[in-house]
Amino acid sequence: MLNYLWAGMILIGIIFAAFTGRMPDITNAALDSSKEAITLCITMMGVMSFWVGLMEIAAKAGIIRSASLRIRPLIRFLFPRLPAGHPAEEHITTNIIANVLGLGWAATPAGLKAMEQLSKLEEDRRSGRMPGPVRKKGIASNEMCTFLIINISSLQLIPVNVIAYRSQYGSVNPAGIVGAGIVATAVSTIVAVVYCKMMDGKRRA
């Protein structure tokens, strides 16, 4: 659907430029945008390489595992039916930590692995190897829905990506967004947790 929307906007822009005699502006804008896109990609590549590298070092050094133990009460609160010590736990923890640091791209691999493990957990429940409520095949479990919503709401203490974007485009104070970002993402995360708990209660009823 998004592809159709983007294609439609581009087509409308080209048609409008053709009828108003502004085709050279379209050409110049395309060239300038391409140049900016490459420059931004190089900037973000450096930022993300640095932070993803730190996350990998933290994982190898056992810091992620230690953090997983420290925030286990939060994981247990958010995912009460997730078996203790399940492989998804570590991936969920990594994803949450990366999101808190504002590293959306770094959080994606951990999020995909967490979803993969949660999917395996659902298969084990359907086969009877693990206890817990069984959903029809193709229907997301409570854990999957909760993880997805928490991941989208994404509490961020340091919005690294946004700071990098603002720095790239010449912001006087790139980190000035931190306060507003914390408030906005804290509210969205609280709403997400409340919503998940309400829906989880309805499913149990």
Side-chain angles (χ1 to χ4, degrees):
M1 186 60 175
L2 286 176
N3 290 336
Y4 290 114
L5 290 174
W6 282 111
M9 287 190 289
I10 292 171
L11 187 60
I12 290 171
I14 293 173
I15 294 173
F16 179 81
F19 277 101
T20 56
R22 302 182 66 178
M23 284 301 291
D25 292 339
I26 291 288
T27 303
N28 292 334
L31 293 174
D32 291 342
S33 297
S34 300
K35 179 181 177 181
E36 285 187 15
I38 295 298
T39 303
L40 181 60
C41 284
I42 293 173
T43 300
M44 294 308 298
M45 189 184 301
V47 173
M48 295 310 300
S49 297
F50 173 72
W51 284 100
V52 171
L54 283 183
M55 292 294 290
E56 187 65 22
I57 291 171
K60 296 289 185 182
I63 296 174
I64 298 297
R65 186 174 296 277
S66 176
S68 178
L69 294 174
R70 291 178 182 278
I71 68 171
R72 181 165 288 176
L74 173 63
I75 301 299
R76 295 261 61 83
F77 171 72
L78 294 174
F79 306 94
R81 289 197 289 269
L82 182 66
H86 192 271
E89 210 172 73
E90 185 172 345
H91 298 309
I92 290 172
T93 302
T94 304
N95 178 269
I96 290 175
I97 292 172
N99 275 325
V100 167
L101 294 175
L103 305 172
W105 295 349
T108 300
L112 293 174
K113 289 180 181 178
M115 275 296 188
E116 183 181 346
Q117 291 297 330
L118 291 175
S119 178
K120 289 180 181 178
L121 174 61
E122 197 64 13
E123 290 176 7
D124 290 341
R125 284 173 175 169
R126 278 195 292 269
S127 65
R129 291 192 296 268
M130 292 290 291
V134 179
R135 305 292 176 193
K136 292 182 181 178
K137 193 170 184 179
I139 297 178
S141 65
N142 281 17
E143 291 86 0
M144 288 179 175
C145 294
T146 299
F147 177 68
L148 181 61
I149 293 173
I150 296 298
N151 187 58
I152 292 171
S153 66
S154 182
L155 172 65
Q156 293 186 7
L157 299 181
I158 310 172
V160 174
N161 288 351
V162 178
I163 291 173
Y165 289 139
R166 286 166 60 85
S167 176
Q168 172 67 27
Y169 288 106
S171 173
V172 178
N173 182 17
I177 195 69
V178 171
I182 291 174
V183 173
T185 56
V187 170
S188 67
T189 301
I190 291 170
V191 171
V193 170
V194 171
Y195 175 79
C196 289
K197 289 302 177 182
M198 288 176 59
M199 296 307 295
D200 189 31
K202 285 184 179 180
R203 281 192 173 188
R204 290 187 183 186

